Every structure is written in C-alpha cells, then in structure tokens.
Amino acid sequence: MLALSILETLGRVRSPLGVTALAESLGTTKSRIHRHLQTLVHQGYIVQSPLTERYRLGSRLIELGNAAANASDIASVAAQPMRTLRDKSEQAVILGQIEDEGIRILTTLSGKMAVEVGVRPGSILGFNTSAQGKMALAFMPESARERILAGPLAEETPYSITRRDVLMQHLEDIRNRGWADAPNEAAIGLNALSFPLLGASGELVGSLAIVSLTQFIGSPPSADQIRAVGTAAEEISNALGYMGNLPGQWR
C-alpha cells in the first residue's frame, strides 16, 4: 500500500517532491521509498525531473483519472434516458464503457418483466460474444480493432462468432444499420440490443443496451425496440457533446 500512499501524497501537495520529503511525510526509510518510486516511474504513474530529481504524477495516472471522470459523467448524463428507455421497453438497460479487455458494465437498471435478466455492474463482456462488444468493434478506430482481433476469438456458446472473416462482415453490417445484437452468443437464451455512445469528436465513449431473453428481444429486434434504444443513445451522445444523428439506417 506504500505505492498508493506515495501517489496520494504527490497528488495532495501538487508539487514535485524528493525522496527525503516523501520518506519523512510517510514515516518510512528513503531506501524503501526509492524502490517504490522506481517501480512507479517504470510503469508511468510518476515522472522524475532530470534537473531536480524530484517526482510528480505521470501521464498514466492522469489518464486513469480522466477515464474515471468520464465514466462518472457518462453515468450521470445517461441516468434519465436509461430510465425512460427502461419504462418504454420494460427490459433491463445496461450502460457500458469500452476497455482493453472488453465492455465494462458501469450501471444497470432492472427491467419490468416477470423474469429478470441483467448483467452485474463491474463485469466485463467480450468483444466478439456480446452485442455491446461487437458494436464497439464496429465503431472503434481500425487500429484498435486490429489490435483486439489479432488474438483468438472467444467461444462462449456454439453460436459465438469465432471466424475472423465472418466477424468482419458482421461488423460491416453493424456499421450500416447502426446497432448490434447477439442472440445466444454469450449465453443460450439471451439477447441484447446495443447502440454506440459517441463523444464530442465522434469518438466511441460507451455503449447502451437492453438485455432480455430471446423471446422478448428477437433477432432482429423489433422496430420499436431499435428506435427506443437508438433514440436514448442519441440523446446521451448529444448530451456528451456529439452533434447530429447517430450513424446507421436504424430510424
């Protein structure tokens, strides 16, 4: 936990500190502080000045802070559109954030159906086995997509798409229509309908989806479901600074 204490101290004082000052502040030895500092420098969490040899917070920690702030902003902006979507569709509504490993679920709203289906906040959905993941692959930059697809494609069920050529055609279809679903691909009997959330520069910042049993979200989903999720995703995107309509022929 000393490494976290070092980061907290540097963040609190908001000015570069040397080994001696950090050791005195944290009540430990300079040698122990130095070992942790070298690890944090190597990982990009802090930076050492070549002139003063003092330490300050690094770019990687700033990126993490910005990511946390963005996640909080998305959840706050999405709260009311998510409630409206849940009431209109009666299905569970899921808000996700794109990460290197897949789609991290930020918040969920329970549906109003007799049989409850949902995804736990904090869980990760796969890129090629979920509606949210395939939507993210379709709308993320090509370089990021190629990096993800360089590895093997997961097979959660016999319906999961594990061939790259089939997946690439599927992603093209998603871009054209503007939404993704994944019937039986993550779990037998489940489906989701997902739209992208875009930021001010048109960058992909998250995903919005409804999830339920396949008998309630078919493939393709109903026109009413597509319009409801698309309208909510567009409202959230506009609130995040995106101008205009979401891409795709979904209206």
Side-chain angles (χ1 to χ4, degrees), residues 153-173:
L153 299 178
E155 183 177 3
E156 301 292 347
T157 78
Y159 297 92
S160 301
I161 301 175
T162 57
R163 285 178 48 186
R164 180 187 168 95
D165 59 337
V166 174
L167 180 60
M168 294 300 289
Q169 181 57 57
H170 194 62
L171 298 181
E172 182 63 26
D173 293 341

Side-chain angles (χ1 to χ4, degrees), residues 33-46:
I33 287 288
H34 187 265
R35 288 196 301 271
H36 283 80
L37 287 171
Q38 295 310 302
T39 299
L40 291 169
V41 168
H42 179 71
Q43 295 176 339
Y45 290 112
I46 62 174

Side-chain angles (χ1 to χ4, degrees), residues 111-181:
K112 295 186 174 182
M113 307 295 292
V115 178
E116 181 62 31
V117 176
V119 182
R120 291 192 305 274
S123 58
I124 290 280
L125 302 180
F127 279 113
N128 69 296
T129 57
S130 68
Q132 295 93 324
K134 292 189 298 181
M135 180 279 305
L137 285 175
F139 288 101
M140 67 175 53
E142 182 178 359
S143 58
R145 180 168 54 251
E146 288 301 317
R147 184 171 63 252
I148 292 168
L149 295 182
L153 299 178
E155 183 177 3
E156 301 292 347
T157 78
Y159 297 92
S160 301
I161 301 175
T162 57
R163 285 178 48 186
R164 180 187 168 95
D165 59 337
V166 174
L167 180 60
M168 294 300 289
Q169 181 57 57
H170 194 62
L171 298 181
E172 182 63 26
D173 293 341
I174 291 170
R175 279 189 290 271
N176 289 334
R177 67 195 185 205
W179 54 268
D181 67 346

Side-chain angles (χ1 to χ4, degrees), residues 37 49 83 108 131 168 185 206 209 213 231:
L37 287 171
S49 168
R83 285 192 291 270
T108 66
M168 294 300 289
E185 294 178 38
L213 301 175
T231 298

Side-chain angles (χ1 to χ4, degrees), residues 3-236:
L4 291 178
S5 296
I6 291 172
L7 295 175
E8 290 175 351
T9 301
L10 291 174
R12 184 169 58 251
V13 300
R14 298 187 179 183
S15 62
L17 293 177
V19 175
T20 300
L22 283 166
E24 291 176 352
S25 176
L26 296 173
T28 188
T29 64
K30 291 194 291 184
S31 61
R32 188 163 178 243
I33 287 288
H34 187 265
R35 288 196 301 271
H36 283 80
L37 287 171
Q38 295 310 302
T39 299
L40 291 169
V41 168
H42 179 71
Q43 295 176 339
Y45 290 112
I46 62 174
V47 175
Q48 184 182 25
S49 168
L51 298 177
T52 66
E53 297 187 346
R54 295 182 178 182
Y55 298 86
R56 61 176 174 81
L57 297 180
S59 60
R60 187 173 183 188
L61 193 64
I62 294 171
E63 289 174 0
L64 290 176
N66 289 338
N70 289 339
S72 177
D73 289 344
I74 293 172
S76 176
V77 167
Q80 184 55 53
M82 287 178 67
R83 285 192 291 270
T84 300
L85 175 59
R86 187 271 310 276
D87 293 344
K88 188 169 186 178
S89 69
E90 298 190 335
Q91 310 300 335
V93 181
I94 300 174
L95 180 70
Q97 176 178 274
I98 289 58
E99 298 187 359
D100 290 342
E101 298 81 9
I103 312 304
R104 176 82 62 182
I105 302 306
L106 298 177
T107 61
T108 66
L109 281 180
S110 298
K112 295 186 174 182
M113 307 295 292
V115 178
E116 181 62 31
V117 176
V119 182
R120 291 192 305 274
S123 58
I124 290 280
L125 302 180
F127 279 113
N128 69 296
T129 57
S130 68
Q132 295 93 324
K134 292 189 298 181
M135 180 279 305
L137 285 175
F139 288 101
M140 67 175 53
E142 182 178 359
S143 58
R145 180 168 54 251
E146 288 301 317
R147 184 171 63 252
I148 292 168
L149 295 182
L153 299 178
E155 183 177 3
E156 301 292 347
T157 78
Y159 297 92
S160 301
I161 301 175
T162 57
R163 285 178 48 186
R164 180 187 168 95
D165 59 337
V166 174
L167 180 60
M168 294 300 289
Q169 181 57 57
H170 194 62
L171 298 181
E172 182 63 26
D173 293 341
I174 291 170
R175 279 189 290 271
N176 289 334
R177 67 195 185 205
W179 54 268
D181 67 346
N184 301 304
E185 294 178 38
I188 300 297
L190 295 181
N191 195 14
L193 167 62
S194 180
F195 272 77
L197 299 178
L198 304 182
S201 301
E203 74 280 13
L204 180 68
V205 297
S207 66
L208 183 70
I210 57 173
V211 59
S212 190
L213 301 175
T214 52
Q215 69 190 84
F216 300 122
I217 301 179
S219 185
S222 71
D224 287 343
Q225 289 173 330
I226 292 171
R227 281 193 297 270
V229 182
T231 298
E234 193 167 86
E235 181 180 349
I236 296 169

